[in-house]
Amino acid sequence: MLGKKYIADLIGQMTLLEKAAEMTQLWGENPDGTLMGILRGFHEKEHLSANAGSLLGFNGAERVLEAQRLHIEENAHHIPLLFMTDVIHGYKTIFPSVLGLGATWNPSLIEESAAVAAAEAAVSGVHVTFSPMADLVRDARWGRVVESTGEDPYLNSLCAAAFVRGYQGDEIGAPLHIASCVKHFIGYGAVEGGRDYDSVQLGDYSLYNEYLPAFQAAIDAGCELLMPAFNTVNGIPCTSSRRLLRTILKGDMDFQGTVISDCTAICELVAHGSAEDNAHAAALSLDAGVDIEMVSSTFYENLERLVETGEISMQQVDGAVERILTLKDKLGLFENPFKDADPEREKELHLCPGHRALARRAAAEALVLLKNENCALPIKKSERLALIGPFADSRKLIDIWGLVNGKETDCVTLRSALEDYKTDYAQGCHLWNLRDMDEERLPDDELIAQAVETAARSDKIILVLGEHPDMSSEAGSRTEITLPENQLKLLQSVCRTGKPVVTLIMNGRPMVLNEVAASSDALLVCWFPGTEGGNGIADILTGRCGPSGRLPMTFPRATGQVPIYYNHLPTGRPNTTGRYQPFANGYIGIDPGPLYPFGYGLTYTDFSYSPVSLSAAEITLSDHSGPDEALLTASVTLTNTGAISGTETVQLYLQDMAGTLSRPVRMLKGFQKIVLEPGESCTVTFPITAKMLEYYIPGKGLSLEAGTFRAYIGAHAQCSAYQEFHLKGGY
Ligand code: BGC
């Protein structure tokens, strides 16, 4: 690192327009993909091109080496560019969608996957990734749910921190690592009606207790950058909110890093009705704390005049430039502007066997087994399998964000992964009956008829259904979170053969699967499983690996139940019957609960839990020293009562029975993945600390209130075994 003085001297030499360019991120690509255009006049402003601070989505070692060399020549102060891109769940080796990674409940696997992604991206010249997305999501209609790790603040926090550690390594600038940008601050997952870019109403109770923790975890893990969300919160766009970005983020949360706007979000302030014009938008965002403007150029076009009129001070501009240059310095770019970019290492690392092996393991660990009756799984070599469905022989195993840098052609299909088994394949129907209507292709009815014939000849049907990857993406919100109708028709048709049916779902969100579950002997949720998807799924189907994934979000019975999440507040009239109950919380004609709760997932064996036991039932806070010290422990004895080895994810939930503010019916506070052989038992113990019992009271701050608490331990969020303890003292 060259340090503060070097950067201060550099800033001292820069003109205001050069500073404004440094604060601007340009699209990296010319429309025709040419290199020279980036540096000479793509924006019809050579000065901006030559002095821009960063490029979006421009990578590949050869191109980066050339672009960086030319840029340093052209830049007035020879300042290197930052190359930033969306490395969301892999770079070339694509891991399961982030929601699938959340379903692994395995932060160290997530960290490893992020380290692999960082290494592959770094050798292609990438310096910064726009990941992790730490948004809490409760509305499965929202298309970007696929990019989140789900509905739980604790699980999201562990995952966000793991992503940051994996990308950044032990120290920012470390070889084969990249800087991480946590997004979208804040409340993006709470957009009204699940409609992308919509408004958000968010009170401080929910903001501090539910939405901020995962961002805090990323910041505490050392995350270098942060991106404000597109949406408004309580009427103010995040991009221009002084309260959110200055008071809360830079104040309460002590974020010292660089803030980059989302794509064109600054000029969108005009469309939001928050800014009169682009100049006003630039002033509001810079004043709120944005350092880099992504893609649009309101900073570049307006900062000179805004400083002249005193609407913005030179210190504010210098503060932003200092943060950007410090990031470049921490990455070591002033000493070596090419960092890890290396065409030879690209060949060595991209999709190398070690990376593929990790992606395969992640694809398998992400799978969640929701049903397994009549010994449907694992499959046997002796069985004749009808492999049916639009995903059975498809390479569409990567979501939109994985396709930013990854390729479908690198994916392993399930059909090829099951080569050693006796399979007969039939497509069954098209993936999405509304799109790509092509006269040449066979109508669904014919494909279904072929599939029925294939199914009738088999011992067992493996039916691979799901959403088109475009259905869960940015601006990919849905009004019905069901499978397309043609796929449901295929399901009904093959079921009529009476053969056992194992259904696999590829999905980017929780889905309504009532009919699918009722018609299938076994049901597995696979998410978009990534490059090694076929192999990972085959590992589970064949029993080479046991399923161990758990739902990171609640699966509803009907779209109308959304948002549905396990850690809701109690109501004055809870439904205690599990059926429709007049004058109780819920909907007419439907069981008020989910189809599958948060945390749910089966294994190929069975586990039994002893009753919960506590080390103490009466605790006095003053007998204990710090918020991280265990006040008591809660434990169970877990036994594998089945016939094969398996991994159980034992979950601890706490409930504060009464507080100044009503507290959630339960909250995940710990989990452990335990591997047991048949007949084996072990004691699983969770420490319970003051920190786990604290919560934020608006106007007061972090508080711990005396009273009664319940500790639940079990296999998912609806587990029923608990013990109570009483706490004296508080703060
Ligand atoms: C998305 C961000 C993403 C950015 C750059 C935006 O549309 O909201 O999440 O990082 O584009 O690709």
Side-chain angles (χ1 to χ4, degrees):
M1 262 183 87
L2 300 181
K4 272 181 175 298
K5 177 161 179 340
Y6 177 82
I7 289 180
D9 289 348
L10 204 49
I11 296 174
Q13 294 159 27
M14 290 168 84
T15 65
L16 180 49
L17 195 62
E18 285 161 5
K19 291 175 189 172
E22 184 63 40
M23 294 163 66
T24 304
Q25 174 163 101
L26 301 182
W27 277 120
E29 292 275 350
N30 249 337
D32 64 0
T34 49
L35 174 65
M36 294 308 288
I38 322 155
L39 298 167
R40 298 213 175 83
F42 167 43
H43 280 249
E44 291 162 12
K45 290 186 189 93
E46 289 206 16
H47 178 272
L48 174 56
S49 290
N51 293 288
S54 52
L55 290 187
L56 167 64
F58 183 88
N59 24 296
E62 301 266 14
R63 299 198 317 159
V64 165
L65 291 173
E66 172 76 343
Q68 188 71 299
R69 191 180 58 71
L70 287 171
H71 182 82
I72 291 170
E73 267 172 29
E74 294 198 0
N75 181 279
H77 305 280
H78 312 298
I79 300 173
L81 276 166
L82 274 173
F83 292 86
M84 307 197 190
T85 195
D86 291 278
V87 180
I88 304 298
H89 48 104
Y91 181 71
K92 292 291 176 193
T93 306
I94 304 300
F95 292 86
S97 299
V98 178
L99 194 57
L101 287 172
T104 66
W105 290 48
N106 187 345
S108 54
L109 177 62
I110 290 178
E111 184 173 336
E112 279 181 75
S113 78
V116 161
E120 291 195 358
V123 295
S124 284
V126 175
H127 302 141
V128 175
T129 176
F130 300 118
S131 170
M133 178 171 118
D135 293 306
L136 182 90
V137 188
R138 292 167 165 175
D139 194 327
R141 291 170 298 180
W142 190 46
R144 302 195 74 168
V145 60
V146 68
E147 296 172 62
S148 83
T149 49
E151 73 187 34
D152 183 67
Y154 174 73
L155 185 60
N156 284 351
S157 299
L158 295 183
C159 295
F163 273 114
V164 174
R165 286 194 304 270
Y167 291 133
Q168 298 196 165
D170 293 336
E171 203 187 354
I172 188 76
L176 298 184
H177 284 88
I178 57 180
S180 165
C181 174
V182 62
K183 66 189 187 187
H184 308 85
F185 192 83
I186 189 93
Y188 192 21
V191 282
E192 250 174 42
R195 291 178 299 272
D196 211 351
Y197 317 121
D198 219 299
S199 318
V200 172
Q201 302 297 329
L202 196 55
D204 277 358
Y205 181 45
S206 189
L207 175 69
Y208 277 85
N209 290 302
E210 292 154 354
Y211 286 83
L212 293 181
F215 285 85
Q216 187 70 66
I219 292 168
D220 293 346
C223 193
E224 284 291 333
L225 297 96
L226 175 136
M227 184 189 292
F230 281 128
N231 52 279
T232 54
V233 171
N234 307 332
I236 302 179
C238 299
T239 309
S240 59
S241 170
R242 271 188 77 89
R243 173 165 193 256
L244 289 175
L245 298 183
R246 285 208 184 272
T247 313
I248 297 179
L249 177 70
K250 296 180 189 230
D252 296 354
M253 300 173 79
D254 197 24
F255 178 68
Q256 312 269 336
T258 311
V259 176
I260 177 165
S261 80
D262 204 341
C263 198
T264 66
I266 297 187
C267 39
E268 288 172 27
L269 296 183
V270 179
H272 270 296
S274 299
E276 303 279 343
D277 53 24
N278 282 352
H280 189 202
L284 287 174
S285 339
L286 180 58
D287 187 48
V290 177
D291 302 316
I292 303 179
E293 174 170 14
M294 190 191 288
V295 171
S296 47
S297 48
T298 68
F299 280 177
Y300 186 75
E301 278 152 25
N302 298 291
L303 286 195
E304 277 181 317
R305 197 180 60 70
L306 290 168
V307 171
E308 204 180 304
T309 57
E311 284 161 85
I312 284 294
S313 72
M314 189 61 109
Q315 283 89 322
Q316 283 176 304
V317 174
D318 286 352
V321 175
E322 188 187 352
R323 280 183 289 278
I324 301 165
L325 296 182
T326 301
L327 175 62
K328 292 185 175 182
D329 193 24
K330 281 181 167 179
L331 286 164
L333 297 182
F334 289 111
E335 287 131 309
N336 174 12
F338 307 106
K339 199 170 179 288
D340 299 304
D342 182 343
E344 288 310 310
R345 296 217 73 190
E346 278 184 318
K347 287 184 208 137
E348 196 186 302
L349 288 183
H350 288 175
L351 292 156
C352 68
H355 293 181
R356 276 191 175 270
L358 188 69
R360 177 175 184 159
R361 202 184 117 206
E365 282 199 32
L367 298 204
V368 185
L369 180 65
L370 296 177
K371 180 176 179 185
N372 190 16
E373 288 176 0
N374 311 318
C375 303
L377 287 175
I379 55 174
K380 295 170 205 71
K381 275 237 157 123
S382 56
E383 290 169 330
R384 176 149 220 107
L385 304 170
L387 190 56
I388 294 174
F391 279 105
D393 190 28
S394 168
R395 291 193 160 81
K396 284 202 170 303
L397 305 179
I398 301 183
D399 70 31
I400 303 292
W401 290 101
L403 291 176
V404 171
N405 300 297
K407 287 203 200 101
E408 284 175 354
T409 46
D410 292 323
C411 287
V412 178
T413 68
L414 180 58
R415 187 181 183 190
S416 69
L418 288 174
E419 238 167 36
D420 295 346
Y421 283 70
K422 286 187 277 180
T423 58
D424 291 318
Y425 165 74
Q427 185 186 337
C429 67
H430 296 288
L431 181 50
W432 192 354
N433 49 353
L434 298 173
R435 280 174 71 97
D436 304 331
M437 289 313 283
D438 166 0
E439 312 241 308
E440 305 265 300
R441 64 184 206 172
L442 281 181
D444 276 332
D445 284 347
E446 272 181 51
L447 291 174
I448 291 177
Q450 288 172 0
V452 170
E453 270 176 39
T454 308
R457 288 195 305 267
S458 72
D459 300 316
K460 188 176 279 175
I461 302 164
I462 311 286
L463 186 60
V464 199
L465 307 176
E467 293 184 300
H468 191 289
D470 288 357
M471 289 175 163
S472 33
S473 63
E474 188 172 333
S477 302
R478 299 187 63 194
T479 53
E480 294 294 339
I481 51 172
T482 46
L483 289 174
E485 262 172 39
N486 58 336
Q487 295 193 28
L488 290 173
K489 195 164 166 201
L490 170 66
L491 168 77
Q492 291 149 5
S493 308
V494 298
C495 281
R496 281 197 282 273
T497 62
K499 304 290 169 138
V501 180
V502 173
T503 306
L504 311 181
I505 306 290
M506 310 281 179
N507 54 324
R509 53 161 59 79
M511 300 193 74
V512 172
L513 296 173
N514 309 6
E515 183 183 347
V516 184
S519 314
S520 308
D521 296 83
L523 175 61
L524 266 166
V525 163
C526 308
W527 321 105
F528 293 113
T531 314
E532 283 288 319
N535 282 329
I537 296 172
D539 287 342
I540 298 288
L541 292 182
T542 58
R544 288 191 291 262
C545 297
S548 64
R550 297 297 171 119
L551 295 181
M553 282 185 80
T554 306
F555 274 45
R557 293 174 188 276
T559 309
Q561 285 181 304
V562 169
I564 180 170
Y565 49 95
Y566 85 93
N567 45 2
H568 57 85
L569 297 184
T571 84
R573 297 192 178 183
N575 184 322
T576 49
T577 62
R579 287 172 283 108
Y580 168 65
Q581 193 186 347
F583 298 105
N585 182 245
Y587 296 93
I588 297 169
I590 190 171
D591 177 330
L595 186 63
Y596 296 108
F598 173 84
Y600 189 79
L602 303 172
T603 65
Y604 286 156
T605 186
D606 292 308
F607 290 94
S608 74
Y609 286 71
S610 71
V612 178
S613 78
L614 300 180
S615 61
E618 305 290 333
I619 295 109
T620 305
L621 194 62
S622 54
D623 295 346
H624 299 271
S625 55
D628 292 316
E629 190 203 324
L631 305 173
L632 73 161
T633 58
S635 40
V636 288
T637 303
L638 180 75
T639 307
N640 181 344
T641 55
I644 58 168
S645 141
T647 305
E648 178 71 347
T649 306
V650 181
Q651 300 161 37
L652 168 76
Y653 294 88
L654 296 179
Q655 181 181 10
D656 182 348
M657 300 306 289
T660 301
L661 298 173
S662 170
R663 303 293 294 133
V665 292
R666 60 182 71 181
M667 293 168 290
L668 182 72
K669 291 291 175 180
F671 60 86
Q672 294 178 37
K673 294 197 119 183
I674 307 287
V675 183
L676 290 180
E677 296 305 317
E680 201 187 346
S681 290
C682 80
T683 305
V684 185
T685 301
F686 293 95
I688 298 178
T689 64
K691 204 174 199 158
M692 293 176 175
L693 307 176
E694 291 175 331
Y695 73 106
Y696 179 89
I697 301 183
K700 181 169 178 229
L702 263 192
S703 306
L704 197 169
E705 298 187 310
T708 302
F709 294 82
R710 279 185 188 172
Y712 292 83
I713 301 182
H716 54 75
Q718 288 188 334
C719 62
S720 50
Y722 69 86
Q723 283 292 337
E724 283 186 354
F725 59 93
H726 309 279
L727 179 75
K728 283 200 196 102
Y731 42 84

